[in-house]
């Protein structure tokens, strides 16, 4: 398996928003553990039932569940050229497990201050048809209620994108996920990106990592 890339940062940092362009540049498929878990919850699988409780409270889903999902995902044939992990790993045990099964060549860490995180998450909505990510103020549809990418008018807002849950998700990030920063930095893999700028400016800083 070729080397993978990790997108790292607090909830709402813009990982999903930037992922599409990185996929275009690198050809590595995006793997979002959040999307995988939401699909399992929607299907009502056993795994989905376990995940639901944790996701609703804003806490992290147990490491063994996440590691199991990733182990399955990397068996797919499109993982051969490496993957773009979005929202994984989120704990040191997850990173240690990943290290054993897939090489990582680069960690792109997007930093955004906590108040912007709350503002971003509370205005987020997504096209139900194609997954394009929007924001009421920062990234509205060009034509109101019509997806720029696919023309659909069917949009969803995540149940956990409320101010109360966002605060819990931020605590989980600061307590359990942010220690990964120095862990990856010590391995010389961490690339810091200031995410407190417009979407195109952030995309440019990320693109500069690939020149
Ligand atoms: P993450 O995947 O890190 O949780 P998203 O990409 O879903 O974050 O972005 C969270 C929200 O913030 C979305 O509504 C998105 O449109 C918006 N957003 C993303 N990047 C920026 C940015 N640079 N400036 C302002 N809003 C942004
Ligand atoms: P965000 O937009 O906040 O970055 P995600 O879609 O990545 O959110 O994740 C949503 C929820 O799914 C998290 O709050 C957490 O409960 C769960 N989750 C996603 N990825 C992981 C992971 N790698 N480890 C543990 N829990 C996860
Ligand atoms: Zn769409």
């Amino acid at each position: 398996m070729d080397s993978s890339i990790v997108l790292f940062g607090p909830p709402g940092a813009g990982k999903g928003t930037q992922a599409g362009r990185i996929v275009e540049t690198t050809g590595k498929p995006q793997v979002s553990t959040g999307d995988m878990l939401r699909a399992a919850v929607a299907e009502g699988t056993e795994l989905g039932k376990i995940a639901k409780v944790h996701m609703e409270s804003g806490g992290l889903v147990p490491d063994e569940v996440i590691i199991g999902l990733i182990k399955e995902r990397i068996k797919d044939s499109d993982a051969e050229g490496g993957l773009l992990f979005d929202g994984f790993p989120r704990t040191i045990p997850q990173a240690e497990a990943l290290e054993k099964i897939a090489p990582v060549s680069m960690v792109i860490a997007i930093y955004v201050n906590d108040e912007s995180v709350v503002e971003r998450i509370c205005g987020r909505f997504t096209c139900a048809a194609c997954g394009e990510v929007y924001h009421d103020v920062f990234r509205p549809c060009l034509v109101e209620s019509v997806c720029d990418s696919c023309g659909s008018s069917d949009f969803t807002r995540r149940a956990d994108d409320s101010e109360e849950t966002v605060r819990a998700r931020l605590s989980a990030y600061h307590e359990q996920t942010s220690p990964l920063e120095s862990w990856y930095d010590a391995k010389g893999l961490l690339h810091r990106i200031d995410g407190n700028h417009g979407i195109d400016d952030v995309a440019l800083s990320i693109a500069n990592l690939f020149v």
Side-chain angles (χ1 to χ4, degrees):
M1 185 178 174
D2 289 345
S3 67
S4 292
I5 297 173
V6 170
L7 259 176
F8 177 85
K15 301 182 295 295
T17 298
Q18 300 297 336
R21 307 183 201 210
I22 305 173
V23 169
E24 273 173 34
T25 312
T26 63
K28 297 183 195 292
Q30 177 188 3
V31 172
S32 157
T33 41
D35 287 347
M36 292 166 86
L37 294 169
R38 277 184 289 281
V41 171
E43 284 168 29
T45 62
E46 279 310 306
L47 190 153
K49 284 179 193 150
I50 300 170
K52 191 169 191 263
V53 198
H54 299 282
M55 294 172 83
E56 280 174 351
S57 69
L60 295 184
V61 172
D63 286 336
E64 57 273 20
V65 173
I66 302 291
I67 294 164
L69 272 179
I70 295 294
K71 279 188 174 158
E72 284 306 307
R73 180 64 184 84
I74 62 169
K75 288 182 190 162
D76 293 344
S77 58
D78 70 345
E80 262 311 298
L83 296 166
L84 174 66
F85 292 111
D86 165 4
F88 170 84
R90 259 171 152 102
T91 62
I92 288 180
Q94 289 180 22
E96 287 169 345
L98 179 62
E99 199 177 31
K100 294 197 185 101
I101 54 177
V104 170
S105 58
M106 180 187 245
V107 176
I108 303 173
I110 308 179
Y111 294 94
V112 170
N113 60 54
D114 286 4
E115 286 322 301
S116 299
V117 161
V118 176
E119 228 174 26
R120 288 185 186 188
I121 294 271
C122 293
R124 170 161 64 183
F125 62 101
T126 306
C127 173
C130 76
E132 186 73 17
V133 185
Y134 293 93
H135 188 282
D136 294 322
V137 178
F138 306 128
R139 169 69 172 101
C141 300
L142 291 173
V143 177
E144 206 185 318
S145 303
V146 179
C147 175
D148 298 1
S149 300
C150 78
S152 165
S153 292
D154 187 9
F155 295 99
T156 55
R157 284 181 196 260
R158 278 168 48 181
D160 61 342
D161 277 355
S162 65
E163 176 152 5
E164 193 193 359
T165 312
V166 172
R167 300 274 174 202
R169 284 154 66 193
L170 267 173
S171 306
Y173 171 77
H174 289 301
E175 285 162 25
Q176 293 164 275
T177 306
S178 65
L180 271 180
E181 187 188 334
S182 53
W183 194 87
Y184 275 125
D185 200 20
K187 295 179 187 290
L189 295 175
L190 195 79
H191 297 267
R192 294 183 174 83
I193 297 290
D194 182 358
N196 296 294
H197 296 287
I199 292 173
D200 292 339
D201 287 339
V202 177
L204 207 59
S205 321
I206 294 175
N208 281 332
L209 299 176
F210 294 95
V211 294

